Amino acid sequence: MTWLLFGTMAFAGKHAIVGTVVDRNGDPVPRAVISVNVTSKKQASFNVALMTDRRGTFRVDYLRPEESERRIKLAKRAEYDIEVFKPGFHLHDTSVYFRKGEVVVAPITLVEETIAIQDLPENLDPAANADAATSTGATFEWQ
């Protein structure tokens, strides 16, 4: 009986899309959200969303119809859109053609979001400008 369970688990992993998510330094990005979608004219829309593990790896071996919780095997000879999201990083989109077996996606590199800081043309130091140090807005009680 143990052999049957092992054989079933081994079979389940034969058809999958696998990959790794890294940052610009090549370090793994854990807990990134991976969304895999396929939309075919012959089929309804199928998708699945999961998270990368602490090594930044993911494995997709099934999809789900939009209105159901039932699992469906990956369709052979189909184009899949992969979307990777993690707060603090830019959204990354890629696609992969799944024929059969295990398809290994090239490492997906997420780029950190940056904030543009603009230098103000005026000096905002209160000591440099006596008028800027006084408040004309809010008042205290009894004023």
Side-chain angles (χ1 to χ4, degrees), residues 1-139:
M1 187 160 179
T2 305
W3 180 81
L4 180 62
L5 179 61
F6 177 76
T8 304
M9 287 177 21
F11 176 73
K14 286 187 176 184
H15 301 287
I17 299 172
V18 297
T20 304
V21 179
V22 296
D23 63 12
R24 289 190 289 183
N25 297 324
D27 296 327
V29 178
R31 300 183 57 84
V33 177
I34 308 292
S35 299
V36 179
N37 302 305
V38 61
T39 304
S40 171
K41 293 179 183 176
K42 297 178 185 176
Q43 301 173 337
S45 181
F46 296 98
N47 60 42
V48 70
L50 50 98
M51 295 180 100
T52 58
D53 63 11
R54 63 181 173 182
R55 295 182 313 262
T57 61
F58 65 92
R59 177 182 199 85
V60 178
D61 56 1
Y62 67 90
L63 296 174
R64 291 190 172 155
E66 286 187 11
E67 294 111 20
S68 174
E69 290 296 317
R70 118 186 116 98
R71 294 182 176 194
I72 297 172
K73 291 181 182 180
L74 296 175
K76 296 177 183 176
R77 297 185 188 104
E79 187 82 20
Y80 290 91
D81 295 321
I82 300 173
E83 188 175 273
V84 183
F85 169 75
K86 176 147 185 182
F89 292 89
H90 290 281
L91 183 69
H92 182 85
D93 291 321
T94 189
S95 61
V96 62
Y97 182 76
F98 179 76
R99 187 171 294 212
K100 67 178 184 175
E102 186 174 273
V103 175
V104 179
V105 179
I108 297 170
T109 303
L110 291 183
V111 178
E112 295 87 356
E113 290 181 343
T114 55
I115 300 172
I117 299 176
Q118 298 177 355
D119 193 23
L120 295 174
E122 56 198 52
N123 186 357
L124 298 178
D125 184 12
N129 189 351
D131 293 337
T134 60
S135 173
T136 58
T139 61

